[in-house]
Amino acid sequence: PIGSAQFYPNTSLSMGTGIDVTSLSNTLLTTTGTVPLLPAFALNSFLFVLLKSKLSKMLTPEGYFHSLALGTMLWHTLGWQGWTTCVLYLFCGSLVTKVKFQEKEAMGIAEGRGGRRGPENVWGSAATGLLCAAASVQVNPAFATSSSSNLFLGASYDLLVLGYVSSLATKLADTFASEIGKAYGKTTFLITTFERVEPGTEGAVSLEGTLAAAVGGSILPIYAHAIGLLQGGWMGIGIATLAAFLATNAESLIGATLQGKKGFEWMTNEVVNFFNTVIGAGVAITLGRFLLV
């Protein structure tokens, strides 16, 4: 596969710098192991500087540096495949947030800070994914020995990667449901009572938003499978997409029944997002145990 040692010829390129470029490329673009932390940080720093003009439109200054830390850890644990999957989430989420943004802003239901993500958004969305990525290192097949277990906390490497992809797919599905529902939803109902409510109400759902959740939840699984990160073929894609859809509806239930209620003031949007991604990853891993061989 591209990025593995066998893809590159057995020649060494130093380009006059004393750095073995071939070896460095093999290390950074591996698909069979982890990437050392220092090279992962260096590459992320370079990419973040290169993309700063675009990222500054999506992230607050604090969110920028927290995303750099997240990106470094993801490249360290899951390589370029895990990193680009998360970056695709950020770009798609930012794009859909901008849909009819001025109209949503006038109604008072648009995301704050012009839709830019801060540290709380970064970790509320990606903490679960990072935990799955870190756990996957413990059972990465590249480091397997005859005496090592192929399970960590009861999950295999492929299931933990499935959890990683599904957690991000869940958050993207939720973003699609929320932003498309607020922009195009003709009739919004409270998910618990089906009472008609205003767009943007916690726990509100609409047909348009529900359909958007199904579409948004499929984007990352399809991409992750296409680049070789997510295993299981169409079944793996289907499990991740279904888990994202179910978790998004569970998030609406949490929003309608707990968020903002007395005694649950601590349950902010970011906390709910974290629970949402935990549910998505958990459902996917559970289904994967039964449906993936």
Side-chain angles (χ1 to χ4, degrees):
I2 296 177
S4 64
Q6 65 187 17
F7 176 78
Y8 297 95
N10 294 322
T11 57
S12 176
L13 298 177
S14 67
M15 300 180 67
T17 63
I19 299 175
D20 188 338
V21 177
T22 301
S23 178
L24 181 61
S25 297
N26 285 343
T27 298
L28 291 173
L29 301 179
T30 181
T31 60
T32 59
T34 59
V35 177
L37 191 57
L38 186 57
F41 173 70
L43 180 58
N44 269 266
S45 298
F46 170 75
L47 292 172
F48 268 64
V49 170
L50 190 67
L51 298 171
K52 187 173 183 180
S53 61
K54 290 185 179 297
L55 291 174
S56 62
K57 298 176 183 178
M58 304 177 191
L59 300 164
T60 65
E62 296 82 2
Y64 177 88
F65 289 105
H66 281 256
S67 293
L68 173 60
L70 171 65
T72 297
M73 293 306 298
L74 289 180
W75 204 303
H76 172 55
T77 53
L78 289 177
W80 67 269
Q81 294 165 309
W83 188 89
T84 56
T85 300
C86 189
V87 169
L88 181 60
Y89 154 73
L90 174 62
F91 275 84
C92 289
S94 296
L95 282 174
V96 77
T97 298
K98 296 297 185 181
V99 173
K100 289 194 173 183
F101 189 84
Q102 291 182 336
E103 289 91 333
K104 289 184 286 190
E105 196 170 38
M107 295 170 63
I109 57 175
E111 289 290 320
R113 300 178 298 209
R116 294 187 300 163
R117 272 65 172 173
E120 71 281 7
N121 305 116
V122 172
W123 299 115
S125 301
T128 300
L130 181 57
L131 289 173
C132 288
S136 74
V137 175
Q138 310 306 312
V139 284
N140 190 311
F143 310 127
T145 65
S146 58
S147 60
S148 62
S149 171
N150 63 346
L151 299 178
F152 182 73
L153 299 178
S156 66
Y157 176 79
D158 286 343
L159 286 180
L160 289 166
V161 171
L162 174 65
Y164 168 75
V165 174
S166 299
S167 70
L168 293 178
T170 295
K171 189 62 193 74
L172 189 59
D174 175 54
T175 303
F176 267 65
S178 176
E179 297 301 332
I180 296 301
K182 288 187 289 188
Y184 296 105
K186 294 182 174 61
T187 306
T188 52
F189 299 90
L190 199 62
I191 193 171
T192 50
T193 63
F194 294 102
E195 174 189 356
R196 290 190 64 172
V197 292
E198 291 296 319
T201 302
E202 292 296 341
V205 295
S206 66
L207 175 61
E208 295 81 1
T210 301
L211 293 175
V215 174
S218 69
I219 294 173
L220 297 185
I222 290 173
Y223 171 77
H225 173 67
I227 62 174
L229 178 64
L230 180 64
Q231 303 303 310
W234 286 106
M235 181 63 75
I237 294 172
I239 289 172
T241 303
L242 177 61
F245 183 78
L246 293 176
T248 296
N249 284 281
E251 190 266 354
S252 296
L253 282 171
I254 294 172
T257 57
L258 300 178
Q259 191 172 4
K261 301 297 189 293
K262 185 177 181 180
F264 290 93
E265 291 81 6
W266 54 271
M267 191 170 283
T268 63
N269 281 332
E270 289 68 42
V271 173
V272 173
N273 286 338
F274 174 70
F275 288 151
N276 186 26
T277 57
V278 169
I279 293 170
V283 169
I285 290 174
T286 301
L287 290 176
R289 282 178 174 170
F290 292 100
L291 300 177
L292 295 178
V293 178

